[in-house]
Amino acid sequence: MDTNSQNIQPVPPFSEKNDETPDMGGGLPIIEYWAKQTLSPEGPKLWQTLLHKSACLSCSWGTGGQKGGFTNEDGEKLQRCMKSVEAISAEIKPAISTNYFQQHNIAELQQLTSREADRLGRLSFPMILRAGSSHYDRISWQEVYEIAEAAFRKTPERVASYSSGRSSNEAAFLLQLMMRAIGSNNLADCSDLCHAPSTTGLNEMFATRTSVVSLENLKQADCVVLAGANSAYNHPRFMNELIKICDKGGKIIVINPVMEIGLVKFGSPAFPVKSLIPGSKIASLYLQPIPGSDTALFVGIQKSVIEQGLLDETYLQAHTEGWEAAVQHARETDWETITTTCGVSQAEIEAAAKIIGNSKRVVFGWAMGITQQKNGVDNVFSIANTALMTGNLGKIGAGLMPVRGHSNVQGFGSMGVTVNLKKEIQHTLEQLLGCPLSGVKGYETRSLIEAADAGKVDTLICLGGNLYGANPDSNQAKRALGKIETIIYLATKPNLGHFSGLAHHNTIVLPVLNRFENPYKTTVESGNNFVRFNDEGETHLKDADLIPEVHFLTELAARIHGTYPVDWRQLQDTKYVRQLIAKTIPGFEKMATIDETNEEFTISGRIFTEPKFPTDSGKAKMFVTPLPVLKLPEIKDFGASESVRGLVVALMTGRSYSQHNTVVYKIDDKYRGMPHRNCILMNRADAESAGMKEHQRVTVQGNVGKMENVEVIYGAVREGAALMFYPEVNVIFHPEIEKRSGTPAYKRVPAFVYAEA
Ligand SMILES: Nc1nc2c(c(=O)[nH]1)N[C@H]1C(S)=C(S)[C@@H](COP(=O)(O)OP(=O)(O)OC[C@H]3O[C@@H](n4cnc5c(=O)[nH]c(N)nc54)[C@H](O)[C@@H]3O)O[C@H]1N2
Ligand SMILES: Nc1nc2c(c(=O)[nH]1)N[C@H]1C(S)=C(S)[C@@H](COP(=O)(O)OP(=O)(O)OC[C@H]3O[C@@H](n4cnc5c(=O)[nH]c(N)nc54)[C@H](O)[C@@H]3O)O[C@H]1N2
Ligand code: SF4
Ligand SMILES: [Mo]
């Protein structure tokens, strides 16, 4: 790996590959998977769905839409990745047979793994598990509405929703309107567990909440800094952009404690000759910091930018506030503190600063390694400060790009599914409702679990997702959900939450149509602020009793609210929802005519091509970012006896190659050489220092539980750190929380790894 500027090698390079790992990401296995899926009996349906005019179900990169299933928002073709196929394949499975749930009691269902639950097939009729009953029973829609309506008539503060970003903007808008109309602000969302620190950080600095870079702008960058994001797995089409930037001589700096093979070299099917088989080099410089230390690393980069005379003081003076303190902080923090906190050498940091400071247009992208930290908002501030100090914000080809999660998670936030509602939206909603919104602060996801655990929640509606599986401390999540009287899950597929996240009284599971099956058009928003328009479609489940999400929400709302403040049943024609959105949500004006124009659009006010910000002063606000103090507990803090030999690591928990969040598609992770789910990726020197060998079975203990029989796999992870997969690992820890955003520190979980003597 060369930096093209100095001969700086990662010191030490934590790059050991185990025998099972390929030497690049992507490549032929992708094509093999495509071939296998598309030639299977479900192949024709798969192709039909790939070609359907709707946005990809999987990630927020936003491929698909009106220009056809393979087109990105810049109109470029061949943009569907294997992850998309994986997601569609799961949705076009046959229905679960009607007697399956008669034959299997809840205790048996609770034994299923995530993959087994998903493989049961599609949910196809409404069902209920009543207190005292051992089985899910089919239930009529009439009874569903009666139970749901009664459950929603509880004290508003005791009614809550949770959502996950697969559903449409229309469903999201209706969900929050229904909740606000009963007087509840309890709109927890999966983004609370995900990019909430990005939203909070960007809002405080720039009065915006999303990426400020469009896809078109990204293409103009000559340097991309990618921190805490494994895009080769989770946003594969982003890799095409990185390849193109490299081909033009641009530089990619990767910041990640794990040397992810796909970020070193990636074979992309979009470039069959030059990339797919030989692979394209991605990282020009790969920095491997200690988990949770990115703020220190970025302050180090700032310090070096200053020392190398690359600080853009003219820019700071003209366009920012509070810059003096931020610059002073970087200048005065000594190198020793920086390098011991982040574990990256001064020479490597200087090399990164040199590349960033000498590039003309730098985009800073990041994901969960940055946000799922106790100091996630500071991490975001420190990245943004670096961008501002080098004048890389508010111009074409530069800026800040949180790489979002679910395919419409950003749309949920825009639609007002959040506990931190924008003032403008609050105002328009109050006009619509004809009264002030409740002043009681709503529960975001973690506070929802804590409130439920304290017996403060009676009713919960979940629009998609897996609240049980996504939360840390699985036993607490189970207990907390068990104190809620009624839980209503709307879902396409069964997941562990439907079997272990059970209510005290009634748990209802309602089968819904997915994005490409709805009988009406819908919209979603990509992570690059582009609104996609999805055509109506059909389901392959011919005799099933499925419901469109919008239909259920409007019918329930009509029963609760009558025609206040809108004629809910009329909104079953989603065109009217879009008109309401256009009137209520700033930036969505074009939504009013999208049914006539079919024109997908970039949300106005989001992309910054000039250094003018929507803050009161028009300037960006900079904040000082204290370096984290990262201390792991000692072995004795885990209550272990002297005779136990092991070590304490900073455990990062995240995704394998073949899973989508809590849903596991395949058990192995071939690019990291992890053969199954019950593995821990460790640094060889760490393992050997504790007397462990590769493939040995160990116990991994967190602060509330442990996993046994975990296989040690050596990998390219820095010393002191290790990696395991969620949702399984969620059973071992109760997390630290990022206080300003409520996000759990999933990427720095103190864990004791040991082998029984
Ligand atoms: N195929 C697929 N696509 C997905 C998803 C999926 O599950 N499957 N999930 C979607 C969702 S909801 C999301 S949020 C995104 C998630 O996308 P990502 O954020 O890319 O996914 P993660 O696996 O959570 O972790 C990202 C990386 O953070 C690194 N990391 C851990 N700790 C640190 C740290 O302290 N500092 C730094 N710099 N890096 C660190 C890890 O090594 C890992 O490579 O993907 C979305 N897209
Ligand atoms: N330890 C650890 N925990 C984590 C994370 C981590 O990195 N580490 N990441 C966190 C992050 S970033 C996120 S976003 C959360 C994810 O948390 P969630 O979003 O709650 O979980 P998912 O697994 O994405 O939800 C999958 C389910 O959604 C349902 N579904 C799919 N499509 C549709 C649809 O169109 N409509 C409806 N109604 N339902 C649908 C299906 O039933 C499917 O089983 O997990 C978080 N938890
Ligand atoms: S990059 Fe994301 S949006 Fe694009 S095809 Fe792949 S999974 Fe779908
Ligand atoms: Mo996420």
Side-chain angles (χ1 to χ4, degrees):
M1 208 163 303
D2 75 293
T3 70
N4 289 346
S5 50
Q6 299 170 24
N7 187 22
I8 297 297
Q9 301 293 320
V11 199
F14 303 109
S15 58
E16 172 166 351
K17 292 203 292 107
N18 56 52
D19 299 343
E20 311 303 321
T21 344
D23 61 6
M24 67 175 190
L28 279 180
I30 304 185
I31 300 296
E32 283 157 18
Y33 180 86
W34 262 93
K36 197 167 149 229
Q37 296 298 314
T38 50
L39 296 173
S40 74
E42 282 155 1
K45 175 69 187 155
L46 182 68
W47 272 107
Q48 195 190 337
T49 310
L50 280 165
L51 294 166
H52 185 256
K53 288 186 178 172
S54 58
C56 169
L57 298 175
S58 188
C59 87
S60 59
W61 202 250
T63 313
Q66 281 304 300
K67 291 179 188 136
F70 284 83
T71 322
N72 73 8
E73 54 205 64
D74 263 9
E76 292 166 315
K77 300 277 177 201
L78 251 184
Q79 294 280 333
R80 273 279 169 119
C81 79
M82 196 199 108
K83 297 289 148 193
S84 186
V85 174
E86 217 168 36
I88 295 170
S89 303
E91 293 290 319
I92 59 176
K93 291 275 178 294
I96 310 174
S97 74
T98 24
N99 53 17
Y100 180 83
F101 291 102
Q102 288 163 358
Q103 287 165 354
H104 295 87
N105 64 28
I106 193 72
E108 291 172 85
L109 297 175
Q110 287 174 348
Q111 298 305 311
L112 298 176
T113 62
S114 160
R115 181 166 176 268
E116 287 163 347
D118 187 68
R119 290 199 151 204
L120 293 177
R122 282 286 294 272
L123 294 164
S124 67
F125 53 86
M127 57 187 196
I128 185 167
L129 183 77
R130 299 176 210 267
S133 168
S134 58
H135 289 75
Y136 264 110
D137 294 320
R138 190 167 184 155
I139 179 179
S140 71
W141 285 105
Q142 179 59 28
E143 201 186 344
V144 167
Y145 286 119
E146 280 164 16
I147 295 174
E149 188 186 337
F152 271 81
R153 292 201 183 280
K154 302 279 173 171
T155 316
E157 290 79 40
R158 299 180 65 87
V159 177
S161 71
Y162 171 74
S163 46
S164 155
R166 272 267 179 112
S167 309
S168 60
N169 285 331
E170 289 76 0
F173 182 83
L174 290 166
L175 175 71
Q176 64 87 36
L177 188 62
M178 175 177 82
M179 294 293 292
R180 310 255 186 223
I182 62 169
S184 172
N185 291 322
N186 296 329
L187 286 147
D189 184 75
C190 67
S191 59
D192 304 330
L193 306 175
C194 181
H195 262 296
S198 308
T199 311
T200 306
L202 293 170
N203 195 32
E204 288 191 28
M205 289 183 73
F206 309 102
T208 195
R209 297 177 177 212
T210 60
S211 170
V212 307
V213 184
S214 64
L215 181 56
E216 201 185 339
N217 270 347
L218 169 65
K219 292 175 189 298
Q220 310 296 318
D222 61 358
C223 172
V224 174
V225 178
L226 188 65
N230 185 13
S231 306
Y233 281 29
N234 299 315
H235 303 87
R237 290 301 73 132
F238 182 17
M239 300 308 292
N240 289 348
E241 304 308 329
L242 298 181
I243 291 171
K244 285 188 269 184
I245 290 167
C246 289
D247 284 352
K248 289 190 303 186
K251 305 270 190 298
I252 313 295
I253 301 174
V254 177
I255 300 175
N256 196 317
V258 180
M259 192 167 284
E260 303 284 13
I261 192 67
L263 303 180
V264 176
K265 196 174 180 195
F266 190 80
S268 170
F271 314 107
V273 180
K274 73 169 189 208
S275 175
L276 179 65
I277 294 174
S280 305
K281 179 172 150 292
I282 305 295
S284 321
L285 180 64
Y286 207 120
L287 307 180
Q288 288 179 273
I290 291 167
S293 73
D294 293 75
T295 291
L297 178 53
F298 278 98
V299 168
I301 293 175
Q302 294 157 19
K303 184 177 178 69
S304 177
V305 161
I306 298 167
E307 289 179 356
Q308 296 185 49
L310 297 166
L311 185 75
D312 193 342
E313 208 170 308
T314 321
Y315 179 95
L316 292 175
Q317 275 175 359
H319 307 299
T320 69
E321 287 169 352
W323 64 272
E324 295 90 340
V327 168
Q328 191 187 359
H329 172 61
R331 195 176 270 139
E332 288 177 359
T333 308
D334 60 86
W335 277 113
E336 171 76 18
T337 311
I338 291 170
T339 54
T340 50
T341 307
C342 71
V344 178
S345 70
Q346 185 176 337
E348 287 174 90
I349 297 175
E350 285 171 346
K354 187 167 186 176
I355 298 174
I356 295 169
N358 286 311
S359 297
K360 294 202 173 60
R361 296 171 298 275
V362 187
V363 168
F364 295 79
W366 69 89
M368 297 302 101
I370 294 298
T371 60
Q372 293 175 336
Q373 300 288 0
K374 194 183 168 196
N375 64 339
V377 174
D378 275 343
N379 276 343
V380 172
F381 285 163
S382 72
I383 295 175
N385 284 349
T386 311
L388 290 167
M389 287 184 198
T390 51
N392 274 303
L393 217 89
K395 66 180 183 193
I396 287 174
L400 301 170
M401 191 179 77
V403 187
R404 294 274 161 174
H406 278 291
S407 54
N408 194 34
V409 63
Q410 199 166 297
F412 268 73
S414 297
M415 294 301 115
V417 180
T418 167
V419 296
N420 297 309
L421 194 61
K422 276 190 182 164
K423 282 273 166 294
E424 302 93 301
I425 305 182
Q426 178 180 345
H427 185 68
T428 48
L429 284 174
E430 288 178 343
Q431 281 182 327
L432 180 66
L433 293 168
C435 66
L437 295 186
S438 159
V440 181
K441 175 120 180 97
Y443 300 132
E444 33 67 31
T445 304
R446 280 308 297 162
S447 50
L448 169 63
I449 294 293
E450 299 293 349
D453 206 11
K456 293 183 184 162
V457 181
D458 292 330
T459 304
L460 173 68
I461 182 168
C462 292
L463 184 60
N466 179 356
L467 182 58
Y468 162 77
N471 261 286
D473 196 348
S474 316
N475 289 323
Q476 184 206 16
K478 185 175 192 161
R479 180 179 71 222
L481 294 170
K483 293 179 185 173
I484 299 176
E485 226 170 273
T486 311
I487 301 181
I488 302 167
Y489 290 113
L490 279 74
T492 55
K493 303 284 303 277
N495 63 46
L496 299 182
H498 305 142
F499 306 145
S500 289
L502 300 176
H504 184 62
H505 200 66
N506 285 321
T507 311
I508 295 180
V509 181
L510 303 178
V512 297
L513 294 163
N514 65 35
R515 185 172 303 161
F516 54 81
E517 296 171 334
N518 279 314
Y520 43 71
K521 296 193 185 217
T522 56
T523 58
V524 294
E525 171 185 336
S526 81
N528 306 321
N529 301 299
F530 192 72
V531 173
R532 288 272 177 205
F533 196 32
N534 307 309
D535 272 1
E536 49 279 269
E538 267 180 28
T539 177
H540 62 293
L541 303 169
K542 289 302 169 216
D543 301 317
D545 196 6
L546 303 168
I547 196 160
E549 290 170 334
V550 164
H551 189 104
F552 179 75
L553 293 170
T554 47
E555 184 58 34
L556 177 60
R559 286 168 189 252
I560 302 167
H561 298 299
T563 51
Y564 168 76
V566 286
D567 180 348
W568 294 94
R569 291 195 177 99
Q570 190 198 30
L571 295 178
Q572 283 172 12
D573 182 344
T574 51
K575 186 170 76 191
Y576 298 111
V577 188
R578 285 186 281 282
Q579 288 172 2
L580 207 49
I581 292 171
K583 276 193 227 147
T584 322
I585 310 292
F588 282 75
E589 301 77 17
K590 286 192 174 169
M591 198 86 135
T593 50
I594 196 167
D595 285 81
E596 286 78 53
T597 60
N598 261 2
E599 192 196 324
E600 301 179 313
F601 60 91
T602 297
I603 300 156
S604 63
R606 297 269 181 94
I607 307 301
F608 296 170
T609 50
E610 283 178 71
K612 278 193 203 129
F613 306 102
T615 52
D616 293 340
S617 60
K619 294 185 176 186
K621 290 198 181 78
M622 290 173 75
F623 299 98
V624 170
T625 54
L627 268 52
V629 179
L630 301 173
K631 216 172 153 285
L632 287 170
E634 291 173 30
I635 293 180
K636 67 173 171 17
D637 300 322
F638 289 87
S641 79
E642 304 268 304
S643 67
V644 180
R645 198 155 170 217
L647 82 160
V648 178
V649 293
L651 184 66
M652 303 172 279
T653 69
R655 293 149 177 84
S656 76
Y657 182 61
S658 265
Q659 77 179 75
H660 193 96
N661 297 337
T662 70
V663 180
V664 175
Y665 295 129
K666 281 206 209 120
I667 63 164
D668 68 325
D669 182 342
K670 71 163 144 282
Y671 293 105
R672 291 187 185 122
M674 297 165 84
H676 55 85
R677 307 281 306 167
N678 205 27
C679 293
I680 182 166
L681 193 74
M682 287 180 76
N683 177 287
R684 173 195 288 269
D686 279 346
E688 288 179 355
S689 76
M692 291 169 193
K693 293 196 180 68
E694 189 166 27
H695 305 302
Q696 184 174 343
R697 299 290 176 147
V698 295
T699 300
V700 182
Q701 185 182 336
N703 58 358
V704 295
K706 59 185 176 185
M707 285 169 77
E708 288 170 341
N709 212 20
V710 178
E711 184 173 348
V712 173
I713 301 291
Y714 292 164
V717 53
R718 71 155 297 129
E719 274 170 18
L723 178 138
M724 285 177 80
F725 301 136
Y726 101 95
E728 294 87 338
V729 74
N730 277 340
V731 76
I732 73 168
F733 65 100
H734 190 86
E736 294 214 73
I737 299 290
E738 153 55 64
K739 292 211 171 48
R740 289 161 286 185
S741 61
T743 304
Y746 290 120
K747 294 291 190 273
R748 191 183 161 84
V749 176
F752 177 40
V753 186
Y754 63 94
E756 296 289 350

